[in-house]
């Protein structure tokens, strides 16, 4: 554990060095919070078929996920700013409490409408978990020290992604689907206790002038964009008047938001941050990374299960090397950044290797050996890990301390927004191409009476004759090719943006940053 020294990047230091045993439980609580936030989406997805069978509501079950995503997306930038205004500890505890309340209510839901409502509450809490953790780490440690801890979050992300389906399936089969929500409660209580008793940060002394207009305009814009991205090409055609209206509303509300932020005393997203090229580049590259690396993972799972014939359990095993590459590159890059204090070339390498990985994945067909597929995914995983925490470090490094929460929230929001857009964009490309391929490749009437949405199920595929099954597998492989080819220009734009990033050193104990005149009075009061 790093020793603490004086300096305003480490707000605890003005009051004295915190005991080692107080830092460790805080880091543990932060890691648990990140694990819960990531795990939730994975285990709920696994339990959804059983939930629909119990509660009904097949026509609206997608809102169990959509409502959660919208709520989390809307509140992410809000939590960052509230942490700047009212203190990170208080806002983090509120976020955890809301997440646990939503989890408990979701576990007790008796109808699909209730579950959707309670998932919205859970999403409101989830929006503050990850961004609050990043801001707390940013306040506890200077950027050079924080780099050591950011590595751990990449590992936790990967563990949650890997464990999610298995945990969700086990809880659903052995207990009931209710426990995919209730499992959050004991872990959440541990987080609340550790943070309440062990985290002490300087109390915010800025006037709390809340930008209600900005909150409302940003929230409405995010909702409109998320709905347009989720429904476009799936529920409605992209040129359907509903999608066009949602898109226009998102743009107009975003323009109104920018105008409101220019006048706000305490804007949700301080526009002056974008004058810093490092921050702007971090946001742009985060969007590209969210679109490609997070938005395409679901389609890799489809390829493994449908085209290669792997079971759900085996598909998790096949994905392990990709997650290993992600964790390994994240840890190695983090260690190197901690030693050298330089970070520019890691997002550059991430985008460049990602382009190579996407091109390799685009070549996969029904004849590609599974070992080769694993190799391609390993390359893709390495690329994803190289930018996972680096962009947050870079943005924090040049940010004013008073805006550290808004900085973390904006970078996290950019990645989350990219993920939403990526999933929707790739889904539209995939399903439109899949329909064409199946129509061309399968004999007329061969799939009569079979739900097209069930073709990615091994049980359904096993009931087909060999020629028809081969045609379906070839159709899926062909439909996935344009998905990965579409990722290439997105990564190319990310690469061009990353190349413009300044190669500044991370501030360490010898570069204690902004506002040293505040050092004497920052420890006057601590959050209780």
């Amino acid at each position: 554990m790093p020793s603490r020294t004086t300096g305003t990047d480490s707000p605890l230091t003005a009051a004295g060095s915190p005991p080692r045993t107080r830092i460790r439980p805080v880091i543990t609580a932060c890691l648990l919070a990140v694990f819960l936030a990531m795990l939730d989406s994975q285990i709920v997805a696994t339990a959804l078929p059983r939930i629909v069978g119990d509660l009904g509501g097949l026509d609206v079950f997608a809102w169990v996920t959509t409502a959660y995503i919208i709520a989390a997306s809307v509140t992410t930038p809000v939590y960052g700013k509230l942490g700047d205004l009212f203190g990170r500890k208080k806002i983090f505890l509120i976020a955890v409490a809301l997440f646990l309340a939503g989890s408990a209510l979701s576990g007790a839901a008796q109808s699909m409408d209730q579950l959707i409502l309670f998932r919205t509450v859970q999403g409101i809490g989830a929006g503050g978990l990850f961004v609050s953790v990043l801001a707390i780490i940013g306040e506890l440690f200077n950027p050079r020290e924080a780099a050591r801890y950011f590595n751990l979050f990449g590992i936790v992300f990967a563990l949650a992604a890997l464990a999610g389906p298995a945990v969700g399936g086990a809880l659903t089969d052995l207990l009931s689907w209710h426990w995919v929500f209730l499992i959050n409660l004991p872990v959440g209580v541990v987080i609340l206790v550790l943070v309440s008793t062990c985290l002490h940060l300087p109390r915010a002394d800025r006037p709390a002038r809340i930008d209600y207009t900005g909150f409302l305009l940003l929230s409405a814009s995010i909702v409109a964009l998320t709905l347009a991205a989720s429904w476009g090409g799936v529920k409605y055609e992209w040129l359907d008047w509903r999608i066009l209206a949602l898109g226009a509303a998102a743009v107009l509300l975003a323009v109104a938001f920018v105008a409101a932020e220019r006048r706000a005393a305490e804007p949700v997203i301080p526009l002056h941050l974008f004058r810093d090229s490092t921050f702007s580049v971090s946001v742009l590259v985060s969007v590209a990374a969210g679109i490609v690396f997070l938005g395409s993972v679901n389609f890799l799972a489809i390829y493994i299960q449908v085209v290669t014939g792997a079971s759900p359990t085996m598909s998790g095993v096949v994905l392990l090397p990709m997650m290993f590459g992600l964790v390994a590159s994240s840890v190695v890059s983090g260690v190197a950044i901690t030693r050298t204090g330089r970070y520019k070339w890691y997002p550059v390498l991430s985008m460049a290797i990602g382009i190579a990985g996407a091109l390799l994945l685009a070549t996969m067909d029904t004849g590609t050996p599974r070992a080769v597929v694993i190799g391609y995914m390993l390359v893709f995983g390495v690329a994803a890990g190289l930018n996972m925490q680096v962009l947050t470090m870079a943005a924090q490094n040049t940010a004013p301390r008073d805006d550290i929460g808004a900085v973390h929230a904006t970078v996290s929001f950019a990645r989350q927004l990219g993920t939403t857009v990526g999933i929707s964009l790739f889904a539209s490309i995939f399903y439109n191409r899949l329909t064409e391929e199946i129509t061309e490749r399968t004999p007329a009437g061969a799939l009569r009476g079979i739900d097209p949405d069930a073709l990615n199920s091994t049980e359904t595929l096993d009931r087909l004759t060999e020629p028809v099954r081969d045609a379906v597998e070839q159709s899926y492989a062909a439909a996935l090719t344009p998905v990965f080819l579409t990722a290439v220009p997105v990564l190319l734009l990310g690469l061009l943006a990353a190349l413009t990033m300044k190669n500044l050193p991370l501030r360490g104990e010898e570069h204690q940053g902004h506002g040293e005149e505040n050092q004497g009075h920052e420890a006057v009061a601590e959050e209780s």
Side-chain angles (χ1 to χ4, degrees), residues 129-496:
L129 294 183
F130 190 53
V131 67
S132 295
V133 165
L134 291 177
I136 287 170
I137 298 301
E139 189 153 343
L140 284 175
F141 306 101
N142 62 56
R144 191 76 170 262
E145 293 172 320
R148 306 179 187 182
Y149 297 98
F150 286 144
N151 292 334
L152 298 176
F153 296 121
I155 297 173
V156 169
F157 256 77
L159 290 175
L162 291 172
V167 172
L171 289 173
T172 303
D173 290 335
L174 299 177
L175 298 173
S176 73
W177 63 262
H178 301 275
W179 281 94
V180 302
F181 303 106
L182 299 179
I183 192 65
N184 295 330
L185 301 183
V187 181
V189 169
V190 172
I191 296 171
L192 290 174
V193 171
L194 291 178
V195 172
S196 298
T197 57
C198 299
L199 178 62
H200 301 282
L201 296 173
R203 202 174 279 159
D205 57 3
R206 297 166 62 183
R209 290 171 289 186
I210 301 176
D211 178 19
Y212 292 106
T213 301
F215 286 167
L216 292 174
L217 288 172
L218 179 61
S219 299
S221 179
I222 293 171
V223 170
L225 179 61
T226 304
L227 290 177
S230 300
W231 289 346
V234 180
K235 187 172 183 178
Y236 305 106
E237 296 292 331
W238 281 107
L239 295 180
D240 184 273
W241 69 269
R242 301 171 186 84
I243 302 302
L244 294 176
L246 285 169
V251 171
L252 292 175
L253 288 165
V255 170
F257 168 72
V258 171
E261 297 303 90
R262 291 181 180 277
R263 299 189 301 270
E266 287 287 353
V268 180
I269 299 178
L271 298 183
H272 68 262
L273 294 175
F274 289 94
R275 297 174 193 159
D276 175 10
S277 63
T278 300
F279 175 80
S280 299
V281 170
S282 297
V283 169
L284 290 173
V285 179
S286 291
V287 172
I291 290 174
V292 175
F293 296 125
L294 297 176
S296 63
V297 170
N298 291 338
F299 299 93
L300 288 173
I302 289 175
Y303 177 88
I304 295 167
Q305 291 188 37
V306 177
V307 180
T308 72
S311 66
T313 301
M314 180 55 67
S315 68
V317 174
V318 175
L319 285 169
L320 277 173
M322 184 177 74
M323 304 311 297
F324 172 78
L326 184 151
V327 172
S329 62
S330 178
V331 171
V332 170
S333 62
V335 170
I337 291 169
T338 302
R339 289 178 178 172
T340 65
R342 301 284 180 172
Y343 51 79
K344 170 179 177 174
W345 295 108
Y346 297 99
V348 171
L349 281 173
S350 173
M351 298 294 108
I353 296 174
I355 290 172
L359 290 172
L360 289 172
L361 293 172
T363 66
M364 298 187 306
D365 56 26
T366 54
T368 306
R370 190 175 289 175
V372 174
V373 173
I374 290 173
Y376 292 169
M377 291 193 299
L378 177 61
V379 172
F380 207 59
V382 168
L386 285 172
N387 78 77
M388 179 159 284
Q389 305 302 333
V390 175
L391 298 172
T392 301
M393 295 180 203
Q396 172 190 314
N397 188 49
T398 58
R401 183 173 158 198
D402 284 347
D403 292 323
I404 200 71
V407 166
H408 285 299
T410 305
V411 174
S412 298
F413 168 66
R415 190 181 295 266
Q416 191 172 35
L417 188 64
T419 302
T420 301
V421 172
I423 291 173
S424 303
L425 173 64
F426 294 148
S428 176
I429 293 170
F430 172 71
Y431 287 113
N432 286 335
R433 180 66 178 272
L434 180 63
T435 301
E436 298 174 2
E437 292 290 337
I438 287 180
T439 301
E440 292 177 5
R441 294 174 185 270
T442 57
L447 297 176
R448 185 178 292 116
I450 296 177
D451 182 0
D453 292 335
L455 286 174
N456 59 1
S457 164
T458 53
E459 291 82 3
T460 301
L461 289 173
D462 288 342
R463 296 200 302 266
L464 301 177
T465 62
E466 181 98 12
V468 175
R469 175 168 182 158
D470 288 344
V472 170
E473 291 174 353
Q474 292 167 8
S475 298
Y476 269 81
L480 286 167
T481 297
V483 168
F484 299 116
L485 288 178
T486 303
V488 172
V490 177
L491 290 169
L492 181 58
L493 292 175
L495 174 61
L496 295 175

